[in-house]
């Protein structure tokens, strides 16, 4: 079935129902790419509670917060899952830093996207390569660039089906479930960081700012994607 057909069938189901359908449809061809965001932690909990043997992968860009590694280890222990970590190609990072500097991303959108390509997109491509479909914790509400997000989309960049079980969830729903099920979450969320990525590209936000305001805060809202979630509606 195409992404459009699957979306037509799955759009009205709750998150657990969508993940169940994805597992039934793709089986061992399904993977979950987690960034350990609160949304991703909710998906990890649902998968673990149902005992679905869906592999988990994540990216270590080399610029993460120390707390992210603590949460990764805690999540593995809590849910009895091994989250396979993919790293950027060392030679590519060395060449990029040698050419443009260690903090190149502050200098231009082009530099920032180049860094994201080397540290995120290429490792994600390798992480997803063996699979036919992947689960992702994106929500429509998170930013202007995600307002049109669908539950099932075609990820043309990686040649996969992308499934967003929480597409229609509000922030309140996510945190309600995190609290109700005592799901471990990133400690920086309690210190004003609603969205957490690389340490050098993430800051705390004021209550009046949007959820994604602290990501690449020096850029305009329409640029605030790293390419992991574009090109397909990804
Ligand atoms: Fe590089 Fe920043 Fe993108 Fe991380 S978020 S890959 S440090 S530009």
């Amino acid at each position: 079935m195409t992404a459009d057909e699957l979306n037509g069938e799955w759009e009205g189901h709750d998150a657990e129902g969508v993940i169940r359908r994805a597992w039934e449809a793709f089986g061992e061809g399904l993977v979950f790419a987690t960034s350990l965001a609160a949304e991703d932690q909710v998906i990890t909990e649902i998968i673990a509670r149902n005992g679905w043997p869906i592999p988990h992968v994540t990216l270590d860009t080399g610029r993460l917060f120390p707390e992210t590694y603590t949460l990764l280890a805690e999540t593995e222990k809590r849910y009895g899952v091994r989250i396979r970590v993919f790293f950027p190609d060392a030679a590519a990072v060395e060449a990029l830093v040698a050419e443009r500097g260690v903090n190149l991303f502050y200098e231009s959108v082009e530099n920032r996207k180049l860094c994201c390509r080397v540290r995120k997109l290429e490792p994600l491509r390798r992480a997803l390569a063996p699979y036919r479909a992947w689960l992702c914790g994106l929500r429509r509400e998170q930013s202007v660039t995600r307002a049109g997000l669908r539950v099932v989309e075609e990820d043309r960049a990686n040649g996969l089906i992308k499934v967003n079980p929480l597409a229609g969830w509000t922030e309140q729903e996510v945190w309600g479930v995190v609290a109700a099920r005592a799901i471990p979450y990133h400690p920086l969320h309690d210190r004003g960081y609603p969205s957490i990525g690389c340490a050098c590209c993430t800051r705390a936000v004021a209550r009046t700012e949007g959820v994604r305001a602290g990501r690449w805060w020096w850029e305009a809202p329409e640029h605030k994607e790293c390419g992991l979630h574009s090109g397909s509606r990804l």
Side-chain angles (χ1 to χ4, degrees):
M1 291 178 82
T2 66
D4 283 347
E5 290 167 339
L6 290 171
N7 188 67
E9 288 195 6
W10 298 358
E11 179 81 46
H13 294 278
D14 63 16
E16 195 162 326
V18 170
I19 299 170
R20 181 185 306 281
R21 282 165 176 76
W23 168 243
E24 289 170 353
F26 297 105
E28 293 179 354
L30 180 67
V31 65
F32 173 37
T34 174
S35 69
L36 304 166
E39 291 84 356
D40 295 324
Q41 296 296 87
V42 168
I43 292 174
T44 292
E45 191 275 340
I46 292 172
I47 292 172
R49 182 158 39 80
N50 285 277
W52 295 315
I54 299 170
H56 293 48
V57 297
T58 194
L59 306 180
D60 182 350
T61 63
R63 302 294 297 251
L64 301 179
F65 288 97
E67 293 90 340
T68 304
Y69 299 97
T70 305
L71 178 61
L72 172 56
E74 184 184 358
T75 304
E76 288 190 327
K77 192 171 178 186
R78 169 77 175 269
Y79 297 110
V81 63
R82 174 65 70 217
I83 301 172
R84 185 170 172 194
V85 182
F86 284 78
F87 298 87
D89 178 76
V93 173
E94 287 177 9
L96 183 66
V97 170
E99 184 191 328
R100 304 197 183 207
V102 74
N103 282 345
L104 70 160
F105 30 79
Y106 295 134
E107 292 168 12
S108 67
V109 172
E110 179 200 340
N111 273 8
R112 199 271 294 165
K113 289 190 173 178
L114 192 54
C115 184
C116 283
R117 191 180 314 149
V118 169
R119 292 182 186 270
K120 291 182 174 180
L121 269 60
E122 191 282 327
L124 181 70
R125 184 190 56 74
R126 272 189 283 118
L128 299 182
Y131 302 99
R132 292 193 293 141
W134 62 297
L135 298 170
C136 184
L138 294 188
R139 294 185 295 109
R140 290 182 194 116
E141 216 188 53
Q142 285 167 325
S143 70
V144 292
T145 58
R146 297 178 182 177
L149 188 75
R150 300 188 315 170
V151 168
V152 185
E153 304 192 317
E154 189 183 347
D155 170 7
R156 286 192 291 272
N158 290 297
L160 276 73
I161 295 288
K162 181 164 169 248
V163 182
N164 307 299
L166 307 186
W169 282 39
T170 65
E171 190 179 353
Q172 288 74 13
E173 284 178 291
V174 173
W175 286 104
V177 168
V178 167
R181 298 180 190 163
I183 294 171
Y185 62 90
H186 205 296
L188 289 182
H189 285 311
D190 291 335
R191 292 182 231 155
Y193 292 74
S195 175
I196 300 166
C198 293
C200 47
C201 296
T202 308
R203 66 157 170 77
V205 304
R207 287 183 188 279
T208 50
E209 292 183 294
V211 169
R212 300 271 296 170
R215 302 292 297 277
W216 309 295
W217 65 90
W218 61 93
E219 293 182 2
E222 62 270 25
H223 295 308
K224 286 176 184 282
E225 291 292 352
C226 58
L228 290 183
H229 306 293
S230 59
S232 60
R233 287 273 3 112
L234 206 175

